[in-house]
Amino acid sequence: MLSTIQPPRYLSRFPLRGRTKSRPFHILSSAQPVTKTSFAADQSQILSIRYSLLNRHLSAVELTHSYLNRYRPPFDATAVKRLKDLGAIVVGKTNLDEFGMGSTTEASAFKVTANPWDLSRVPGGSSGGSAASVSARQCVVSLGSDTGGSVRQPASFCGVVGLKPTYGRVSRFGLMAYASSLDVIGCFGSSVADTGILLHAISGHDSLDATSSKREVPDFTSQFTSASSLKSRPLEGLRVGLIRETVDAGVDSGVKSAIQGAAAHLEQLGCVLKEVSLPSFSLGLPAYYILASSESSSNLSRYDGVRYGNQASSDELNALYEESRAKGFGSEVKMRILMGTYALSAGYYDAYYKRAQQVRTIIRKSFKAALDENDILISPAAPSAAYKIGEKKNDPLAMYAGDIMTVNVNLAGLPALVLPCGFVEGGAVGLPVGLQIIGAAFDEEKLVKVGHIFEQTLEGYNFVPPLITDVGGASA
Amino acid sequence: MASTLFRTIQIHPFLLYPTALFSRRNGVLYCTMKSSQTQTATQEKQQPPKVKVPQHALKKTVDKITRDYEAIIGIETHVQLSTLTKAFCSCPYNYGSQPNTNICPICMGLPGALPVLNSKVIEFAVKLGLALNCKLSLNSKFDRKQYFYPDLPKGYQISQFDIPIATGGYVDLDLPLEFGGGHRKFGTTRVHMEEDAGKLLHSGNGDYSQEITSLTSIYSYFSKHTVDLNRAGVPLLEIVSEPDMRTGIEAAEYAAELQRVVRYLGISNGNMQEGSLRCDVNVSIRPVGQSEFGTKVEIKNLNSFSSINRAIDFEISRQALLHSQGQSDQIVQETRLWEEGAQKTVTMRKKEGLSDYRYFPEPDLPEVILTQEYVDSISNSLPELPEAKRRRYEKMGLSMQDVLFLANDMNVAEYFDETLSSGADIKLAANWIMGDIAAYMKNEKLSINDIKLTPQELAELIASIKSGTISGKIGKEILSELLAKGGTVKGLIEEKDLIQIADPVEIGKMIDKVISENPKQLEQYRSGKTKLQGFFAGQVMKLSKGKANPGLLNKILLEKLNGQS
């Protein structure tokens, strides 16, 4: 039990090497030594929050991007409020791709965040700062948001645990909307237990979000038994489906073998493993980009320069809108607004938006069928390990393709847990690879149970980045 | 309420004739000259040069021309719902509040804020849908209608697009007798739920026809004009009519019937001045006999039923004139503004192709699912609606004039019904309400809810007269006291000793007294000046303080005058 944690000690763990670009998040000036222990379990008192989650104690520059650089939100997001009410200390806000649009955090309105495993690589995105801050042990847990994989892919790249809950499990109130029907707030931690505790704290119905579920939240923490008390085959009989399409061509061979290793480990734990095919899997990516862009083109309409944010000086109204938005948004955001506007336009709606919705229904059904026959599905969290900074920046299609493993889960609204399961070549000691475990809707409990057992029984791996000198394993 | 009760739509036949128009405007000029010199100057400048056209010639032309064309009129009505809070947040809405005092992060569209539907909005929509005889969609949804304007904080309006909550339906109404009367049935295409936008506050004499885009500087614009978001997010029901109306009065009466319906249902105050009921009218004309529609023109800024009537009639004659002069190509699809001062429509903006609102389903709100039980429970709780009320009154034997008067205002109808249920005679109750009581309310500028006379006491008053307890004359006298101060009929009769004297002996005594006090008049009467009977009757009535039964009085008086004394 920690009764006092010194935030500055946490924050200094991520050294600023070479370029000054690598700090993953802004430090809150109000971060003080923590004395409360009321928040759930012992290690979870310090967290960071991704920029797009509103926190009223953050001023001016600390908010999302250049368009909003003088905007200070007047309220806390429900998830943040729940954590604060439980005694959590928010130490800072983490970097992200502007409005969550990106897979590398390079589309940030601030600086580029480096991957703690290899400072020349990206931490993933869009919640790259959150993943990097946990990976570098600058905080115990962190919040992010996951629209198409923005929690799971950076968790994989940074070697931490990332949990995307079922759509509706966590209130979106206070999350700056990217694509409302896909957005969920997700959790990062350095262990499944920490991540599960964090999710439990923020879950549950919120009267301020009409899409939040009224389902009861089970106590995920009851699943965390210590490794020593586990039976020899603790997951006996658990039906696991490996999604065939996710270990096909186009997936890095190192990633494939890491996932096969993880599958073998699950079998050793007693799982019944079989391959399942989801023929609609490859349709997820185009459907996702059409739906997410369409919704974002609408959600970002409110940033018009009239009430807050940057207002361009202009002679007439249309020019005011055009210039405020042209200057305020980054290029990735503008591209997606344009794509979304096009997809929703009269004459194109049926061909794009409507068809994408039909594809979404097909995907939802195929996942439902697969999960009727299996308790969980597994896949890689990303087709490769972390990219080099700049590697995909000028090739958006290659970057989008990297989201293939995760977007289907958002389209189906399902929960998924990503946890480190192995390494591929790269960096000083190799780059972490994440295993994605997908569960049935609102069955996060099973995910954290399986994830926890997997994590406790996986031997021979150390998922603490080499540059962290003062932390060994799980003890902080 | 009083103003509505006595609302009559005045026809303005002179509208079609610019000379008459000019003379009316002189009246307007006269009034405004005292207060504003500049306004007078502007108005003078705007006067059309056409006024020199000989009025008789023009009148005949316009009359003839309009007879050759048929107008097609459709109306979009926005009704502001009187829910306690806005559609998607818990802000209250009170008309006339200080700008930007009833706002929160949700209706301001701040980042991260989400809408949550107020269930009253659904209830009110279902009520209206049922009242308009619509088919309800048990499964509907909200959509986003996207456009940029400073009064629209989210950059989209939450509305309903392809699946409105109610479709089909119709409105029944009876035209006022001064417009020829007659029953009409106008179709309603759909009813859907949406949220209101904010308001641009124009300081100074705001020229509404000026689009913001034409301003030289947005900063100078916003220094004079600000956005008030109090109204943003207030729930609206939009009712789209079928293009079933043919004249201004039909359109105005359609709107008036909608107002009655929403007031009867208690879902809106329906007040046009406050913008709680807003009508946008589409007008096109076509030569009689032609089946395809002409180019339609939308008219906005219609703040009263009479302006709907007059604006449409103006627009019909404007379009007919252009048609007849071979200039029908000058009728373009546009939005025109009704100028109340000038009594004419002017171009506000031309439509450049179809606007693309890029509707798509609102992902922040779940689908709207109604159960049949829910609909049935609302259906069972609906009050008697205006049309049913009119038909019932008609069956009671009341004239259409009476029916319309009594049913037009929900409170009057309720008062009338209560008077009847207290046992009053139908025709007498109607006469009292429409006569003395209405006159009193008009003089005192009161609504029927403000008067002190209860329906039960009105019934009592009517019964007292009918039974002969008091005379009709006394009845009228005590009515004004009852209206102003309240109290009971019985109490007043006792207190003032007003019971009618119907005892022949007592009346005979009074007659004897009057006759004996006026020997000269008696002599004159008996020598043939029988007109003097009236004099004697008056004196006796005076002596009885108005309480003598007039029939009895005259009978006995005649006997005594003609008999031996």
Side-chain angles (χ1 to χ4, degrees), chain B residues 249-546:
Chain B
I249 188 65
E250 285 185 350
E253 278 302 318
Y254 163 84
E257 182 68 10
L258 282 185
Q259 184 190 58
R260 280 189 285 275
V261 169
V262 299
R263 285 180 174 174
Y264 268 65
L265 292 172
I267 62 173
S268 169
N269 68 26
N271 194 326
M272 288 188 92
Q273 274 72 42
E274 293 177 9
S276 306
L277 185 91
R278 306 194 281 269
C279 293
D280 297 335
V281 170
N282 286 297
V283 182
S284 67
I285 65 163
R286 62 185 175 193
V288 171
Q290 181 183 306
S291 59
E292 64 264 34
F293 295 125
T295 306
K296 82 179 170 194
V297 168
E298 186 180 5
I299 313 173
K300 283 185 183 284
N301 198 33
L302 300 167
N303 297 322
S304 66
F305 299 120
S306 71
S307 62
I308 292 175
N309 183 16
R310 282 175 282 130
I312 290 173
D313 285 345
F314 175 90
E315 187 58 26
I316 293 171
S317 56
R318 184 187 74 86
Q319 293 184 21
L321 206 63
L322 286 169
H323 246 292
S324 68
Q325 292 167 347
Q327 295 175 316
S328 56
D329 56 330
Q330 285 190 25
I331 304 169
V332 292
Q333 196 174 345
E334 61 178 344
T335 301
R336 293 178 73 87
L337 211 63
W338 172 247
E339 287 193 345
E340 193 67 46
Q343 294 284 304
K344 62 174 186 177
T345 64
V346 295
T347 297
M348 181 181 162
R349 59 169 175 257
K350 309 252 187 228
K351 290 227 164 130
E352 291 158 5
L354 269 177
S355 320
D356 184 357
Y357 291 117
R358 305 192 313 282
Y359 281 102
F360 80 104
E362 165 59 282
D364 288 332
L365 291 168
E367 289 186 339
V368 179
I369 294 165
L370 308 176
T371 62
Q372 194 56 49
E373 294 78 60
Y374 175 77
V375 173
D376 291 345
S377 74
I378 290 182
S379 180
N380 293 333
S381 72
L382 288 183
E384 185 182 34
L385 292 164
E387 171 65 9
K389 202 153 265 207
R390 286 191 298 263
R391 298 287 78 86
R392 182 163 65 83
Y393 289 172
E394 207 178 18
K395 273 193 195 137
M396 287 171 165
L398 291 172
S399 72
M400 187 47 71
Q401 185 95 31
D402 296 359
V403 167
L404 292 181
F405 185 97
L406 294 167
N408 271 356
D409 185 304
M410 183 180 71
N411 297 317
V412 172
E414 199 175 301
Y415 192 94
F416 176 64
D417 286 340
E418 273 186 51
T419 310
L420 295 192
S421 64
S422 301
D425 175 85
I426 293 167
K427 186 65 194 164
L428 290 175
N431 287 347
W432 279 99
I433 292 172
M434 293 167 57
D436 293 65
I437 296 176
Y440 171 80
M441 281 158 35
K442 194 173 186 180
N443 282 338
E444 304 291 318
K445 295 191 168 60
L446 294 174
S447 85
I448 198 140
N449 293 343
D450 302 327
I451 62 172
K452 301 268 166 49
L453 173 69
T454 63
Q456 291 72 27
E457 288 308 310
L458 176 60
E460 182 67 34
L461 183 68
I462 293 167
S464 301
I465 297 168
K466 208 177 176 185
S467 69
T469 312
I470 55 170
S471 66
K473 188 161 178 287
I474 296 280
K476 282 193 189 250
E477 277 169 26
I478 64 171
L479 176 74
S480 48
E481 186 154 350
L482 288 166
L483 285 169
K485 294 183 191 154
T488 64
V489 175
K490 278 194 177 123
L492 267 180
I493 291 171
E494 264 173 43
E495 183 191 319
K496 303 203 164 183
D497 188 21
L498 298 172
I499 296 176
Q500 182 165 266
I501 302 163
D503 178 2
V505 180
E506 202 175 329
I507 293 174
K509 278 182 190 162
M510 284 190 272
I511 293 171
D512 290 343
K513 187 165 186 271
V514 168
I515 290 177
S516 65
E517 282 170 3
N518 297 282
K520 220 164 119 192
Q521 283 83 351
L522 180 66
E523 205 170 303
Q524 286 175 350
Y525 177 89
R526 289 195 173 155
S527 57
K529 207 170 176 187
T530 51
K531 269 201 295 190
L532 278 171
Q533 190 205 335
F535 164 78
F536 285 105
Q539 290 301 308
V540 176
M541 193 54 95
K542 198 173 164 190
L543 189 65
S544 76
K545 293 181 186 137

Side-chain angles (χ1 to χ4, degrees), chain A residues 54 174 298-299 302 307 315 321 346, chain B residues 110-112 144 149 153 215 356:
Chain A
L54 299 180
S298 174
N299 283 328
R302 66 185 61 194
R307 295 168 310 285
D315 284 350
Y321 284 132
Chain B
L110 293 188
R144 291 184 182 177
Y149 205 65
L215 288 161
D356 184 357

Side-chain angles (χ1 to χ4, degrees), chain A residues 327-366:
Chain A
K327 285 181 189 155
F329 292 138
S331 59
E332 180 67 32
V333 172
K334 279 185 272 195
M335 181 163 71
R336 295 199 193 187
I337 291 175
L338 288 171
M339 288 198 300
T341 304
Y342 180 83
L344 289 176
S345 295
Y348 299 97
Y349 181 91
D350 286 354
Y352 295 103
Y353 183 84
K354 204 171 165 188
R355 273 186 82 195
Q357 284 289 27
Q358 289 161 348
V359 168
R360 184 176 187 172
T361 305
I362 293 170
I363 288 170
R364 202 190 292 257
K365 282 181 183 159
S366 72

Side-chain angles (χ1 to χ4, degrees), chain B residues 219-235:
Chain B
Y219 289 112
S220 73
Y221 184 83
F222 278 116
S223 66
K224 275 190 288 182
H225 305 80
T226 46
V227 183
D228 173 14
L229 293 179
N230 279 348
R231 215 178 62 179
V234 170

